[in-house]
Amino acid sequence: MTTGAGRLRIGVRVPPCDRADRLVTVVRRAEELGFDDVWMPDSQLLWREVFSVLTAVALGTERIGLGTAVTNLTTRHPSVVASAARTVAELAPGRLTLGVGVGNSSVAPIGLKAATRVELAERLAQLRALLDGREWDYGQVRSRLRDPVTVPLHLAASGPRNLRLAGEIADGVILLSGMSLETLTSAIARVREGVEAAGRPMDRFPLTVSAFCHVTDDIEADARMLKPVCAAMAANGGGPFLALAGITLDVPDRFEGVYPDLLHAEDWDLAVEVASRWVSDEDALRFAQAFCLFGTAKEIAERLKVAYEAGATSVFLQHVGSYRPPHELIEVVGEEVLPEVASWSR
């Protein structure tokens, strides 16, 4: 049974990898082609400042949803995020969603640790209170955000405990389990446990799935580009997910020689070469078929329908690479995939 009412929302990830004015043009094109949302990641050393870019995008677009995927509450104090979110939300009423996570690509490059589950829950509660206009106790003082604007808070999660936490305390979840039906079903079940424990209706809880996407007639050849993604997933606790697709990898905790890390490599060809030490061509193909949206436009639309029927209310598509806008993905998906989705998602 589909979770939530209405059609499946399709978004695209646009890293803030260029000047803000140029990225406004990219997002405007996605809006023209019918994408519902644009999601931007947040990492202070990798990309431009995400809320500054979102401010420009808010002013340069009319209807497309805006989201962070994701910001964090470690390098950014919750009060700072609340102020930044309010600033964007005022310019794009009803269009902003704050995706929040543990902050891997923000904290690791500066030697900090990702937030624990307890820290994440406490900081999210503080952020929600400030955006709702309530006071927060900072020890010797109690403070509130002036001119607050309520913004939906979505928690990015992959592990079972954080998935349940998202259902308990967030307004929605960003699933990092990929498009595998088995892992997607399992992840949604954990979220449902949290939603029901909080006494809320599951059919009103947004579930967004993040997926790498590439329209191709030759998945066998193009799957090779996914080797760094597959290896990074294995290194970050995704081994049990991969095993469901018959992929068993014994990878190190760190991958030397790739900056800043395997998933955000500046030299992607080098990252593919390094990852090939642990990920075979056959593994990459299985990964593309099970966890990603690689295939023809019709095949991708069919996979999206499966995710929708499993409970996803939204999917945002990622291109491979972090330092160039997804021009090709936006054009091809907008012209070939979105019309297919529109035929069954209303």
Side-chain angles (χ1 to χ4, degrees), residues 3-222:
T3 300
R7 62 184 179 80
L8 178 70
R9 296 180 66 89
I10 304 294
V12 61
R13 177 182 181 267
V14 176
C17 57
D18 200 352
R19 282 179 10 190
D21 56 337
R22 293 174 181 158
L23 292 171
V24 170
T25 302
V26 176
V27 178
R28 190 180 293 131
R29 180 57 178 160
E31 184 176 64
E32 291 171 354
L33 288 172
F35 283 88
D36 297 293
D37 305 293
V38 60
W39 297 85
M40 290 192 171
D42 177 19
S43 185
Q44 69 277 12
L45 295 184
L46 274 60
W47 301 300
R48 276 61 167 183
E49 204 284 320
V50 69
F51 290 104
S52 300
V53 176
L54 284 171
T55 296
V57 170
L59 290 170
T61 57
E62 296 179 358
R63 62 150 193 90
I64 195 167
L66 312 176
T68 54
V70 292
T71 190
N72 78 93
L73 303 175
T74 298
T75 63
R76 295 182 185 271
H77 192 275
S79 65
V80 174
V81 175
S83 180
R86 171 201 53 195
T87 302
V88 177
E90 286 177 331
L91 300 173
R95 291 201 281 150
L96 179 65
T97 298
L98 267 181
V100 179
V102 298
N104 289 327
S105 69
S106 293
V107 300
I110 56 174
L112 297 180
K113 293 182 179 180
T116 65
R117 191 169 69 94
V118 173
E119 290 170 338
L120 190 58
E122 190 277 338
R123 294 168 188 172
L124 203 66
Q126 180 186 154
L127 177 58
R128 183 192 299 280
L130 293 173
L131 288 170
D132 286 349
R134 292 182 279 120
E135 289 187 345
W136 190 261
D137 187 350
Y138 290 101
Q140 296 183 350
V141 297
R142 292 184 64 85
S143 301
R144 56 181 170 80
L145 179 69
R146 184 175 176 83
D147 301 325
V149 178
T150 298
V151 177
L153 305 181
H154 290 200
L155 185 61
S158 57
R161 292 196 301 170
N162 276 356
L163 288 166
R164 182 183 171 96
L165 179 67
E168 290 175 350
I169 68 172
D171 301 312
V173 64
I174 298 173
L175 300 174
L176 306 178
S177 54
M179 296 298 295
S180 162
L181 181 59
E182 292 82 4
T183 57
L184 184 58
T185 301
S186 176
I188 291 175
R190 301 291 81 74
V191 173
R192 183 184 298 275
E193 291 174 1
V195 171
E196 292 178 349
R200 298 190 289 174
M202 185 67 182
D203 62 359
R204 297 183 184 178
F205 192 83
L207 297 120
T208 299
V209 184
S210 166
F212 284 91
C213 180
H214 180 62
V215 180
T216 176
D217 292 322
D218 192 353
I219 187 174
E220 289 80 3
D222 291 340

